[in-house]
Amino acid sequence: MESLVARVFEALNSTHFPITHEISLHQKMEDVFKSYNIPFEREVFLSKSDKVDFLIESSIALEVKIKGRAMSIYRQCERYCTHDSVEGIILASSKPMGFPKEICGKPAYFFNLTSNALM
């Protein structure tokens, strides 16, 4: 999993992202994942009420947040990690917040969108 996460971070670090509109941000991420040949699905339902923005290689949830309360964002990530199909999670956010290295016993990673932002 570490090598896959490293590839995802390399891909995300390769470009600047529009952080004012989440739909544009999702599209740009999709383009980047395609160019790096990273297998993904967009807007995957983990359950009736849980839909993750991206599922990388069918096992790593990637949630994108440009606004919201830190605790609400964390709780959403925590819910995703309760699903058996999720082996790890990446939160890509422009929201400054702490993020643990593990959630529900699964590896958790934080990608800071503001380091590659287009305003």
Side-chain angles (χ1 to χ4, degrees):
M1 177 179 300
E2 290 291 325
S3 63
L4 176 56
V5 171
R7 281 183 53 221
V8 169
F9 271 67
E10 178 185 352
L12 294 175
N13 276 314
S14 73
T15 193
H16 296 287
F17 292 102
I19 61 169
T20 54
H21 297 95
E22 205 163 295
I23 293 171
S24 300
L25 176 57
H26 287 194
Q27 185 58 54
K28 186 69 172 179
M29 284 185 166
E30 180 176 325
D31 295 343
V32 169
F33 292 148
K34 285 179 181 176
S35 72
Y36 273 76
N37 296 314
I38 295 173
F40 69 92
E41 297 172 74
R42 262 182 83 175
E43 298 185 348
V44 175
F45 280 94
L46 303 171
S47 69
K48 277 185 174 181
S49 59
D50 289 332
K51 180 173 71 169
V52 67
D53 293 326
F54 291 90
L55 194 59
I56 310 291
E57 282 198 2
S58 301
S59 64
I60 298 175
L62 189 150
E63 185 63 17
V64 179
K65 291 292 182 195
I66 57 173
K67 57 186 170 186
R69 291 185 19 240
M71 193 49 133
S72 296
I73 294 169
Y74 172 78
R75 284 190 182 122
Q76 185 177 6
C77 291
E78 185 178 44
R79 275 196 331 272
Y80 293 168
C81 286
T82 64
H83 294 278
D84 291 338
S85 60
V86 173
E87 296 177 11
I89 190 162
I90 299 169
L91 172 61
S93 182
S94 58
K95 178 94 176 144
M97 60 183 276
F99 202 65
K101 294 185 184 291
E102 195 174 274
I103 300 174
C104 299
K106 298 176 182 181
Y109 306 89
F110 183 85
F111 181 81
N112 184 351
L113 287 169
T114 58
S115 62
N116 288 21
L118 289 176
M119 304 286 188

